Amino acid sequence: KAHFQRCLVHVMRNICAKVRVDDRGKIMNEFKQVHQQTNKEEATAVLHDFYTKWGKVYSHVIRSLKDIEPDLLVFYNYPKQIRASIYSTNMIESFNNVIKRKAKPKAEFPK
């Protein structure tokens, strides 16, 4: 089965929207550890520790993360040199916006 990469930045934003303000800093710092690991096994271990720690308080968040877990760590299948540019789709989205803006016809002298 093929998996596509979920943008971890967007996943983090979604988590922020679903947790208490007092817990956001702690949760985000711990979730950031997932993409900072050296390999997929370490990242999976960190992610499961995250589930264990926050599962009782934020079961709905953990449940949704477990549903997309296969798609969260796809970037570990690629060489370390390019992981930083693909764990987030921000670069791709930015590039697509530039293309849209340039491709949109502009009428400088309307009739």
Side-chain angles (χ1 to χ4, degrees):
K1 181 180 175 186
H3 296 285
F4 64 95
Q5 169 63 39
R6 294 279 180 151
C7 176
L8 292 182
V9 173
H10 291 109
V11 170
M12 288 171 47
R13 287 181 193 153
N14 289 336
I15 291 171
C16 277
K18 296 175 184 174
V19 299
R20 287 184 295 241
V21 175
D22 295 341
D23 292 336
R24 283 184 188 163
K26 291 182 273 187
I27 287 176
M28 289 302 96
N29 286 334
E30 290 179 28
F31 191 75
K32 284 178 193 174
Q33 299 302 312
V34 172
H35 71 81
Q36 294 175 345
Q37 301 306 307
T38 57
N39 60 46
K40 193 172 189 174
E41 292 76 26
E42 291 175 11
T44 302
V46 169
L47 187 60
H48 289 196
D49 289 343
F50 182 83
Y51 293 162
T52 304
K53 180 171 182 180
W54 297 103
K56 290 183 181 179
V57 180
Y58 297 111
S59 60
H60 59 289
V61 172
I62 300 305
R63 197 172 330 121
S64 66
L65 283 175
K66 285 181 178 180
D67 290 343
I68 63 169
E69 183 176 341
D71 300 333
L72 283 176
L73 306 176
V74 172
F75 68 97
Y76 279 105
N77 297 340
Y78 297 93
K80 188 176 182 177
Q81 295 83 357
I82 63 169
R83 285 184 198 160
S85 61
I86 62 173
Y87 82 89
S88 169
T89 58
N90 286 344
M91 286 176 66
I92 296 166
E93 291 171 4
S94 175
F95 181 69
N96 287 339
N97 286 335
V98 168
I99 290 173
K100 277 188 212 174
R101 198 169 46 247
K102 297 292 182 185
K104 196 180 283 187
K106 297 192 177 12
E108 291 190 24
F109 300 106
K111 294 181 181 183

